Amino acid sequence: MARAATNRRKLGLTLLAWSIGIVIFFPILWTALTSFKTEAEAVASPPSFLAFHWTLENYTEVQQRSDYFLHFMNSVIVSLGSTLAGLLVAVPAAWSMAFVPGRRTRDVLMWMLSTKMLPPVGVLIPIYLLFRDTGLLDTRVGLVIVLTLINLPIIVWMLFTYFREIPGEILEAARMDGAGLKAEILYVLLPMAVPGIASTLLLNVILAWNEAFWTLNLSASQAAPLTAFIASYSSPEGLFYAKLSAASTMAVAPILVLGWFSQKQLVRGLTFGAVK
Amino acid sequence: MATAHSRAAARLTMSPAVLLLLCWMLIPLVMTLYFSFLRYNLLMPGTEEWIGVLNYQYFLTDPAFFAALANTLALVGGVLVLTIAGGIGLALLLDQPFWGQGIVRLLVIAPFFVMPTVSALVWKNMLMNPVNGLFAAIAKGLGLQPFDFLAEAPLSSIILIVTWQWLPFATLILLTALQSLDRERLEAAEMDGAGALDRFIHIILPHLARAMTVVTLIQTIFLLSVFAEILVTTNGGPGTATTNITYLVYAQSLLQFDVGGGSAGGIVAVVLANIVAVFLMRMIGRNLDI
Amino acid sequence: MGEIVLKQITKSFGDISVIPPLDLTIANGEFVVFVGPSGCGKSTLLRLIAGLEDVSSGTIRIDGKDATALPPAQRGLAMVFQSYALYPHMTVRNNIAFPLKMARLDKAAVDRKVEAAAAVLNLTGYLDRRPGQLSGGQRQRVAIGRAIVREPTAFLFDEPLSNLDAALRVNMRLEISELHASLGTTMIYVTHDQVEAMTMADKIVVLNAGRIEQVGSPIELYSRPRNRFVAGFIGSPRMNFIEGEAARGDGADTIGIRPEHLVLSTDGGRWSGTVSVSEHLGSDTFVYVQVDGIGTLVARAGGEFPVRHGDRVWLTPQAEKLHRFDAAGNALSSLASGKKVA
């Protein structure tokens, strides 16, 4: 009896949860489906859900007409490049904060966080003018620099919270064993922190991939990552639903998969360790 | 706990990050501040001159500013209320045992990973478009008149899109917090005769308070700067119906090339964000035990 | 060789003084144990010697050279940590080899030394495992192996056995003692466990609130504690302290008598009381006696002593084993020897 009631309750919850889940996911699903339709089917009324003529031609056309691959590579280079550059600067800083905390460590951490809260419009104009005058506008290098800087506080914070879970005694042991600073970080700390560093890398690639203020304002055509490339579809001449869907699906799919893998780290990274 | 050697090493290893962020924050901010006191238009180079607080006077008395301020507040407030209420509901649901929990969780968090430009375009064209959108098709199927979301209710439509993007974040964090709740406390309350509603009000909600504050503060920081969604869907219009402060500053400086006025707006945005940031920093700082 | 001399060293963290000026000489080849309650500064003192913390003032000489400002790696010391501090991502072989690699030894020499250390410590079969796959005792031995391959001037042990279960602890205690006997290297060993201190040390340094309370051989500390703190800290169960009228009769503010020096009788004696608890271990019997006008005293009888809760018993201290303390807790001359304890 009780068992049956429990199962009935579970069945009800299952139906409810799945319905809500599908509704929330539906825009993504719909986009993915539309990307396999012909343009005519994409705007057909009433729309067909699965019973349409499946085609891959939107994907090939997006590539041919607008050099999708260039923008995809821009996204890869900018997101990965800015994350790696950020890690390079952040690892030593997080080491010192986690293992040699001083009286001011806390203030420095909080200050770094505060830079993240600076609204981008507050510095948009000078950065735009500086980039224009130094020829960094619409370059991958320029975007890497900006995204490194805007995500640096998150990288430092995430690494800091991961490093703090490593017992300091192990690093002291390395110091006793004759390891210098470089050896201590390279041979002892980093190998032990691999999971944390991987999570940090993953989350920051996601954030950089989806960053859509600086990429929209500082890139035009050559260096435009997918965020800016997709935005060009909002102009009337680009209004082809199936092609828009194909481009969107390709832009979202890789990062969605990464995101699904990193959902736990997401919470920790985006709340600066306040919720774990 | 350290020696002079390790402290020297700490200073050395810390400095690149600190210097970079210092440059990133301070130099442009000072420049913005400086520009905000100038007559400075990119279309009229060479005519820069010091005009004191005139830019602020114009910016703060511009009806567009009040519209933008109201829109910003509506956008931030609307999305916060919807995501937190929805997030608590979803977190409670996802915390229950049902079949396929893991998959539903993936479905629910997916929108967070969709880049803003894509979600804006998908909602604008494929769902909300009054002619070819899915919602229009559904309305027609039901014999109703299609609704032109972005023309008739532009701000609400943008709130809906942004809520869709941020609901996963709120859900995920509230769910994480919920799962850290000691089950025995709920069982003890149940033994004490507390009903489901009592347990929710007296045990679950207080436990989630911290996570709710974190969600509120972090989302506020991001929501104050919503930009791509507006740029792609409405360009701030119709009129100024969907212009928020961020978009107003962008339009002023990069569309009208009024660097001085835009800078003044930027500084105003910084001040507004700082008010929120102070609370957020206190919150995080309190949980930081060094 | 391994002589370590601390001269007037102090340590403070901010305004808090952890170690007031302290002098200590550790002779070459000695096994010295720092013992004291938690928070007494014993680990800090060890870390100062290791170079993991800077002294606030004073000098540390190791092997005749001033090492006060040297970084830990250059002091020629090896340390075994409480948590073992093994490198979890390296095999046992690489853990033990790490200090040698850092010293840029050639590969053949590294291999030879690692194999030799592994043979001594019975780790040969485990060289290719990772620390996570080892038992607590094996991890402990790897930590020791990592220390001995360096052939250090002295070994530092920071509560190395506190994470092991009781049986293993006894074994490892013996192994470390044997290691000391065979290597003959200076060892400094920190523990809060006075049994470890008594069983292993050549010389015990009893610390309390950063101060050295007494330095001496285990038997010296046991039989001639310099003050009430040392008397109470060394020995198990701890010494009984009696204040008031009974103590004044012996010309002291407090008298102390160890449980093993209280003679139990069911017929008569100096103090009478009722048994509250009796613990029968077979080899010994510990009797907790509620003595009239004094309080609870613990007495130990060798073998079985058949009493139970509520029985009336008499206790008589062995006069020559009675410790007398003044109001400040310092030991007065012993009644038996009549000599003033230094």
Side-chain angles (χ1 to χ4, degrees):
Chain A
M1 284 294 280
R3 178 92 174 263
T6 315
N7 268 339
R8 235 188 344 264
R9 180 181 143 84
K10 197 170 172 181
L11 186 68
L13 283 169
T14 306
L15 286 175
L16 180 66
W18 275 87
S19 317
I20 294 178
I22 288 170
V23 165
I24 290 177
F25 188 70
F26 190 78
I28 300 174
L29 181 68
W30 189 242
T31 308
L33 287 174
T34 306
S35 73
F36 296 108
K37 298 177 180 176
T38 62
E39 288 297 349
E41 283 167 330
V43 295
S45 182
S48 62
F49 194 67
L50 287 172
F52 55 83
H53 172 72
W54 290 70
T55 174
L56 282 173
E57 72 180 25
N58 297 311
Y59 287 89
T60 50
E61 256 195 68
V62 165
Q63 166 60 19
Q64 278 162 11
R65 286 174 34 160
S66 50
D67 202 0
Y68 177 88
F69 190 68
L70 169 76
H71 304 293
F72 181 81
M73 281 318 288
N74 285 342
S75 271
V76 170
I77 288 169
V78 168
S79 55
L80 213 56
S82 64
T83 303
L84 291 178
L87 280 174
L88 203 65
V89 179
V91 164
W95 168 85
S96 71
M97 290 166 170
F99 299 110
V100 200
R103 243 167 309 159
R104 252 170 293 152
T105 303
R106 184 196 169 85
D107 298 337
V108 173
L109 269 167
M110 296 313 286
W111 169 74
M112 285 194 171
L113 193 57
S114 74
T115 68
K116 187 69 202 154
M117 294 168 195
L118 185 70
V121 280
V123 293
L124 169 65
I125 297 158
I127 299 284
Y128 182 86
L129 295 177
L130 281 174
F131 269 45
R132 187 194 61 183
D133 297 343
T134 50
L136 285 170
L137 266 190
D138 200 19
T139 63
R140 289 166 174 175
V141 178
L143 289 182
V144 167
I145 292 174
V146 167
L147 291 192
T148 301
L149 288 167
I150 63 165
N151 282 338
L152 188 57
I154 292 191
I155 300 183
V156 171
W157 263 84
M158 280 188 80
L159 288 179
F160 167 75
T161 62
Y162 285 112
F163 284 180
R164 278 217 307 174
E165 287 168 10
I166 291 173
E169 276 199 348
I170 296 186
L171 300 192
E172 289 181 341
R175 242 170 273 167
M176 292 292 294
D177 283 347
L181 179 61
K182 209 178 90 190
E184 178 183 325
I185 291 181
L186 274 185
Y187 303 138
V188 181
L189 176 61
L190 288 188
M192 288 177 67
V194 162
I197 291 174
S199 312
T200 310
L201 188 127
L202 215 56
L203 177 63
N204 277 281
V205 166
I206 293 171
L207 290 178
W209 185 277
N210 288 342
E211 202 291 324
F213 181 82
W214 293 105
T215 49
L216 284 173
N217 279 308
L218 297 180
S219 71
S221 55
Q222 271 315 298
L226 291 168
T227 42
F229 164 70
I230 299 283
S232 70
Y233 272 78
S234 67
S235 50
E237 41 127 3
L239 264 185
F240 296 102
Y241 283 17
K243 277 172 211 63
L244 166 65
S245 298
S248 298
T249 306
M250 281 192 282
V252 168
I255 226 64
L256 182 57
V257 172
L258 280 189
W260 275 338
F261 278 112
S262 67
Q263 46 167 318
K264 288 244 167 58
Q265 288 70 37
L266 181 87
V267 173
R268 191 171 160 158
L270 282 178
T271 61
F272 300 95
V275 175
K276 262 188 238 177
Chain B
M1 313 291 126
T3 65
H5 289 280
S6 56
R7 269 192 297 274
R11 272 193 294 276
L12 191 73
T13 50
M14 183 102 82
S15 45
V18 170
L19 287 178
L20 278 175
L21 280 175
L22 205 62
C23 291
W24 165 248
M25 186 162 96
L26 225 51
I27 295 175
L29 204 56
V30 168
M31 283 170 77
T32 305
L33 196 63
Y34 173 66
F35 291 160
S36 71
F37 295 111
L38 295 185
R39 181 203 313 281
Y40 186 177
N41 194 304
L42 290 179
L43 295 179
M44 296 177 279
T47 62
E48 294 86 21
E49 63 172 317
W50 185 268
I51 53 167
V53 296
L54 208 58
N55 283 322
Y56 289 93
Q57 217 172 316
Y58 281 132
F59 189 83
L60 293 174
T61 53
D62 184 353
F65 167 71
F66 291 103
L69 189 62
N71 290 337
T72 306
L73 291 178
L75 180 61
V76 173
V79 174
L80 277 179
V81 169
L82 290 174
T83 52
I84 290 182
I88 290 177
L90 272 174
L92 286 172
L93 179 62
L94 291 179
D95 197 36
Q96 303 290 324
F98 61 84
W99 288 291
Q101 227 178 2
I103 299 170
V104 171
R105 205 180 140 117
L106 292 184
L107 295 180
V108 168
I109 65 168
F112 189 74
F113 304 110
V114 177
M115 52 179 66
T117 45
V118 166
S119 43
L121 278 180
V122 165
W123 278 86
K124 175 190 177 187
N125 293 318
M126 298 175 49
L127 300 175
M128 291 176 166
N129 187 292
V131 181
N132 297 323
L134 186 66
F135 294 163
I138 292 172
K140 273 182 261 175
L142 296 172
L144 300 169
Q145 190 64 31
F147 185 71
D148 189 352
F149 289 86
L150 286 162
E152 306 286 331
L155 190 59
S156 306
S157 301
I158 288 183
I159 290 175
L160 178 63
I161 298 174
V162 178
T163 299
W164 180 74
Q165 290 179 293
W166 284 94
L167 183 60
F169 174 78
T171 305
L172 204 51
I173 284 175
L174 292 166
L175 181 60
T176 308
L178 193 60
Q179 284 168 343
S180 72
L181 174 63
D182 185 5
R183 295 290 126 163
E184 286 185 6
R185 240 198 293 167
L186 285 178
E187 283 162 11
E190 205 173 348
M191 298 290 289
D192 290 343
L197 188 66
D198 288 323
R199 291 201 298 270
F200 177 72
I201 290 173
H202 296 293
I203 297 182
I204 296 178
L205 267 191
H207 179 77
L208 291 181
R210 204 174 104 102
M212 278 158 64
T213 319
V214 171
V215 170
T216 306
L217 295 171
I218 289 173
Q219 284 197 166
T220 306
I221 295 295
F222 282 94
L223 294 177
L224 282 174
S225 303
V226 164
F227 172 73
E229 293 82 347
I230 296 172
L231 177 80
V232 169
T233 51
T234 62
N235 273 313
T240 53
T242 55
T243 299
N244 66 354
I245 302 247
T246 299
Y247 193 84
L248 182 66
V249 174
Y250 156 82
Q252 186 114 27
S253 40
L254 294 188
L255 296 182
Q256 297 166 26
F257 304 104
D258 176 8
V259 170
S263 295
I267 295 296
V268 170
V270 170
V271 172
L272 290 179
N274 270 338
I275 296 170
V276 182
V278 166
F279 288 103
L280 179 54
M281 304 274 286
R282 281 222 191 113
M283 173 85 198
I284 291 173
R286 212 177 301 139
N287 300 316
L288 177 69
D289 45 320
I290 300 181
Chain C
M1 281 290 286
E3 189 193 50
I4 297 173
V5 182
L6 311 181
K7 194 172 278 172
Q8 287 295 301
I9 61 165
T10 65
K11 178 67 184 174
S12 41
F13 294 113
D15 297 335
I16 304 149
S17 168
V18 183
I19 301 205
L22 177 150
D23 289 293
L24 182 68
T25 301
I26 294 160
N28 180 33
E30 241 178 349
F31 196 118
V32 177
V33 175
F34 295 171
V35 71
S38 56
C40 71
K42 55 191 190 297
S43 283
T44 305
L45 189 56
L46 192 75
R47 291 167 61 81
L48 291 176
I49 297 172
L52 293 170
E53 304 278 351
D54 284 334
V55 294
S56 301
S57 66
T59 57
I60 298 175
R61 300 182 76 80
I62 298 172
D63 220 1
K65 293 186 294 284
D66 186 354
T68 317
L70 286 183
Q74 288 168 32
R75 297 191 180 195
L77 306 173
M79 184 149 165
V80 175
F81 290 84
Q82 182 170 14
S83 64
Y84 321 134
L86 300 180
Y87 309 125
H89 56 291
M90 297 183 195
T91 59
V92 169
R93 181 189 303 278
N94 286 333
N95 261 283
I96 299 178
F98 188 75
L100 303 174
K101 285 181 180 161
M102 288 297 112
R104 310 233 180 285
L105 248 66
D106 67 83
K107 198 175 174 321
V110 171
D111 285 345
R112 203 175 57 244
K113 286 182 183 232
V114 171
E115 301 282 349
V120 171
L121 295 162
N122 288 324
L123 288 169
T124 309
Y126 303 98
L127 278 176
D128 294 315
R129 297 209 188 166
R130 283 174 201 276
Q133 301 164 295
L134 301 180
S135 69
Q138 288 165 336
R139 285 181 208 182
Q140 181 65 76
R141 286 208 290 270
V142 175
I144 293 172
R146 196 171 63 184
I148 61 177
V149 286
R150 297 182 57 198
E151 297 167 18
T153 333
F155 289 94
L156 312 178
F157 291 92
D158 187 6
E159 308 223 18
L161 305 186
S162 55
N163 287 337
L164 298 178
D165 63 48
L168 212 48
R169 209 178 297 170
V170 175
N171 276 338
M172 285 307 301
R173 215 162 72 194
L174 284 173
E175 282 190 38
I176 293 175
S177 293
E178 279 168 18
L179 192 70
H180 179 245
S182 66
L183 294 174
T185 311
T186 311
M187 289 186 177
I188 305 178
Y189 188 105
V190 163
T191 181
H192 62 271
D193 179 354
Q194 56 96 19
V195 177
E196 278 176 25
M198 294 298 281
T199 51
M200 300 168 85
D202 293 324
K203 184 158 91 184
I204 297 179
V205 177
V206 182
L207 288 157
N208 182 28
R211 275 192 328 276
I212 295 182
E213 296 285 350
Q214 190 170 0
V215 179
S217 72
I219 291 307
E220 268 173 60
L221 298 191
Y222 176 81
S223 50
R224 290 196 298 283
R226 196 201 279 170
N227 54 38
R228 219 184 124 160
F229 179 82
V230 176
F233 195 78
I234 302 286
S236 172
R238 65 194 290 267
M239 184 183 279
N240 297 296
F241 291 106
I242 301 161
E243 288 164 359
E245 213 48 51
R248 271 194 284 286
D250 284 312
D253 287 275
T254 308
I255 54 174
I257 183 75
R258 297 191 186 280
E260 53 270 41
H261 300 144
L262 272 176
V263 179
L264 269 166
S265 160
T266 48
D267 308 322
R270 180 168 168 187
W271 299 310
S272 83
T274 51
V275 173
S276 55
V277 176
S278 58
E279 298 172 340
H280 302 268
L281 303 181
S283 59
D284 302 279
T285 308
F286 293 103
V287 185
Y288 294 77
V289 184
Q290 187 65 41
V291 177
D292 315 329
I294 289 177
T296 302
L297 296 182
V298 187
R300 196 198 89 178
E304 170 62 4
F305 188 79
V307 286
R308 288 195 300 172
H309 174 78
D311 289 355
R312 179 145 289 265
V313 292
W314 281 265
L315 298 170
T316 309
Q318 296 175 17
E320 74 281 9
K321 304 287 190 186
L322 204 62
H323 300 269
R324 305 187 308 136
F325 303 97
D326 65 17
N330 293 316
L332 298 164
S333 58
S334 128
L335 279 178
S337 65
K339 277 186 296 192
K340 175 94 178 149
V341 177

